[in-house]
């Protein structure tokens, strides 16, 4: 059982991801923006972060850069509605990239693959 942090500005997405990943046996915490995510990261380091790229007025890619600097070896999966960000060099810091879909199988498989590799 892994501790996951979901960072997404959409309430429905956070709730759906949390339900699905808790059904997989994970403990899940969620944040709606970069500030809330950093607070939760400082309180307790998760095993994995699932991070949206577009966070209202903020950039998940900026948060990804900060995580890679301040939380060494903390795996991050980018989860975005836009596949075009896969070619952005900043996204290459992530351990995985999933395009949002109503079918969460790819997300669940990517979470498991990254956890298997990093834990």
């Amino acid at each position: 059982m892994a501790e996951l942090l979901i960072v997404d500005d959409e309430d429905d997405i956070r709730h759906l991801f949390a339900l699905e990943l808790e059904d997989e046996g994970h403990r899940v915490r969620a944040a709606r923006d970069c500030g809330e995510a950093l607070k939760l990261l400082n309180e307790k380091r998760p095993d994995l972060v699932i991070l949206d790229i577009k966070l209202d007025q903020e950039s998940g890619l900026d948060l990804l850069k900060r995580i890679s600097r301040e939380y060494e070896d903390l795996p991050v999966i980018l989860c975005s509605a836009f596949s075009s960000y896969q070619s952005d060099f900043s996204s290459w810091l992530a351990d995985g990239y999933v395009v949002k879909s109503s079918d969460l199988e790819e997300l669940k498989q990517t979470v498991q693959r990254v956890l298997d590799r990093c834990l």
Side-chain angles (χ1 to χ4, degrees):
M1 181 181 332
E3 177 87 24
L4 309 179
L5 174 61
I6 298 168
V7 185
D8 198 298
D9 59 335
E10 296 182 47
D11 293 337
D12 292 341
I13 296 292
R14 283 194 317 274
H15 183 72
L16 176 63
F17 285 8
L19 286 175
E20 289 287 325
L21 292 166
E22 286 169 347
D23 283 348
E24 296 289 307
H26 302 293
R27 291 181 307 274
V28 177
R29 294 182 300 152
R32 74 182 74 242
D33 57 34
C34 294
E36 191 175 350
L38 290 169
K39 179 179 178 234
L40 291 174
L41 283 167
N42 287 326
E43 288 174 5
K44 183 178 180 194
R45 180 184 166 123
D47 297 309
L48 172 71
V49 176
I50 300 168
L51 176 61
D52 188 13
I53 292 176
K54 290 200 166 262
L55 296 169
D56 198 22
Q57 303 298 319
E58 301 172 300
S59 169
L61 293 176
D62 290 338
L63 181 57
L64 173 62
K65 290 176 198 172
R66 186 163 178 184
I67 289 171
S68 69
R69 279 192 318 266
E70 296 179 20
Y71 300 89
E72 189 174 323
D73 300 326
L74 176 57
V76 176
I77 296 171
L78 290 175
C79 189
S80 175
F82 306 98
S83 63
S84 60
Y85 284 102
Q86 285 179 298
S87 61
D88 185 312
F89 288 128
S90 298
S91 72
W92 295 4
L93 292 170
D95 297 273
Y97 193 105
V98 176
V99 177
K100 287 182 183 175
S101 165
S102 58
D103 179 5
L104 297 184
E105 198 56 39
E106 182 183 0
L107 175 63
K108 292 188 278 189
Q109 289 175 358
T110 303
V111 166
Q112 194 58 55
R113 186 181 73 246
V114 170
L115 288 172
D116 288 346
R117 188 178 69 228
C118 295
L119 292 184

